[in-house]
Amino acid sequence: MRPVDVGWIRVFVEVAARGSLSEAARQLSLTQPAVSYQMRRAEEELGVPLLRRVHRGTELTEAGRRLAEILTPAVAQVDMLARELRQNPAKRVLRLYTDFAFSALWLIPRMHRFRERFPDLELQVIATQHTALRDLGPGDTAVIFGALAQIEGPCELLLSECVVPVCTPAFAEAHGTALERAPLIHLDSTLAPAKWFDWTRYLSETGKTRPDAQERGLHFNTYSLVIEATLAGQGVALGWRGLIDSMLSRKMLVEAGASLTNADQGYLLVQHGPHDPAAAHLRTFLLEESAR
């Protein structure tokens, strides 16, 4: 048996409620012949009369009454759902690809401001240590660590690489901050040499000598763990400006040496076109927050 064509349902419900083809037509902004046609279609679909003519209108047959009992609440529920969906449309989801350090230390403390400013946008953060820029879709955003010269296509420098040795105040008081002797906390890299400042490069460029710099101390493969170990008083780490600024301002960490900057690399903002308004809002937000 073929399924019933239900395109006539709303017209039938209106006729059943009004008891008049002309009143139903007026309510639906249709002509009376159009309403009559839909009623004939309904009766042809079901094979029985649904209406009978009476003085000044129509009334339901027994089959029509049974059908109205089913369809009237169903159409009302559909209308209610439509009103809810129109009042609360699905939020536009923006995907932001970045690494664990940037998402945990820079982005999360600022996300409340993004939600307050753009309540109709949903931000999906995808944390990964290796974002393939070629896989970004239209409207996707990536914040990656790298050198400007190595990125194909347009990108913007969000945070320049600037590092400073940091430790807890208690560690500085108990052990001092002489980098030639202090236990060092390292962020390991799968590349040699690392594309960021590591302890060997930092000590060399600041004129300090420590042959065992990379061999001694604690080693971690994610920067969040480096900071956790530093906060636990395990030694001195290289703190990235922009990621640990709030910890310095709250005296959770203190500087234990001079800053070192590489203006040609850092966290880069990448978006592939075409740029829709929602993705443009995210770009503006990230740039404005980095300027703080």
Side-chain angles (χ1 to χ4, degrees):
M1 182 179 294
R2 66 179 177 83
V4 176
D5 181 355
V6 295
W8 45 265
I9 285 179
R10 182 173 292 280
V11 174
F12 171 77
V13 169
E14 285 296 332
V15 171
R18 309 287 169 180
S20 166
L21 296 178
S22 59
E23 286 298 317
R26 187 176 298 111
Q27 182 67 25
L28 295 170
S29 299
L30 299 174
T31 64
Q32 183 169 332
V35 172
S36 297
Y37 169 73
Q38 292 294 342
M39 290 302 92
R40 288 197 302 274
R41 282 186 58 208
E43 291 177 335
E44 289 171 0
E45 284 290 331
L46 297 176
V48 295
L50 300 175
L51 302 173
R52 67 170 65 93
R53 298 273 183 174
V54 296
H55 181 61
R56 294 183 178 179
T58 60
E59 67 179 16
L60 297 174
T61 63
E62 176 60 20
R65 181 190 63 77
R66 292 171 60 190
L67 184 61
E69 289 177 351
I70 296 172
L71 295 184
T72 299
V75 170
Q77 290 175 356
V78 171
D79 288 341
M80 182 180 300
L81 176 61
R83 285 193 296 271
E84 292 178 0
L85 294 177
R86 289 166 182 164
Q87 291 171 359
N88 301 289
K91 292 185 177 182
R92 167 66 197 281
V93 178
L94 293 171
R95 289 186 294 270
L96 172 58
Y97 295 82
T98 189
D99 62 29
F100 297 106
F102 185 86
S103 57
L105 299 175
W106 192 92
L107 183 61
I108 288 177
R110 293 168 168 81
M111 285 185 67
H112 68 284
R113 287 202 286 269
F114 181 83
R115 291 195 299 269
E116 291 168 357
R117 187 168 171 183
F118 303 108
D120 295 331
L121 299 180
E122 191 77 29
L123 186 58
Q124 180 185 13
V125 180
I126 303 169
T128 174
Q129 290 305 100
H130 304 287
T131 297
L133 296 180
R134 65 181 179 275
D135 295 336
L136 293 184
D140 289 347
T141 303
V143 175
I144 63 170
F145 187 90
L148 285 165
Q150 296 174 344
I151 303 299
E152 296 182 4
C155 68
E156 298 169 276
L157 186 61
L158 198 63
L159 296 173
S160 296
E161 183 183 23
C162 179
V163 298
V164 60
V166 293
C167 62
T168 62
F171 181 92
E173 183 177 351
H175 303 281
T177 58
L179 298 180
E180 294 84 357
R181 298 186 303 274
L184 304 179
I185 302 176
H186 303 268
L187 175 62
D188 289 339
S189 171
T190 57
L191 303 175
K195 62 182 178 180
W196 51 75
F197 283 126
D198 60 13
W199 274 116
T200 298
R201 185 174 163 198
Y202 174 86
L203 293 171
S204 174
E205 295 197 21
T206 55
K208 299 183 184 300
T209 302
R210 185 161 177 176
D212 66 344
Q214 286 301 116
E215 289 75 23
R216 302 290 297 275
L218 296 173
H219 292 257
F220 298 96
N221 65 344
T222 62
Y223 191 64
S224 297
L225 293 178
V226 169
I227 295 302
E228 288 296 327
T230 309
L231 291 170
Q234 300 298 314
V236 181
L238 288 174
W240 264 261
R241 286 290 194 179
L243 302 186
I244 51 93
D245 290 351
S246 64
M247 300 177 197
L248 290 172
S249 64
R250 288 181 285 170
K251 305 300 182 185
M252 298 169 63
L253 297 174
V254 295
E255 296 183 12
S259 296
L260 191 59
T261 301
N262 182 352
D264 295 325
Q265 73 175 26
Y267 277 104
L268 309 176
L269 171 60
V270 181
Q271 282 186 337
H272 290 173
H275 301 304
D276 62 13
H281 288 326
L282 177 57
R283 171 185 171 275
T284 298
F285 173 80
L286 294 172
L287 290 172
E288 291 179 353
E289 286 293 322
S290 69
R292 286 173 178 261

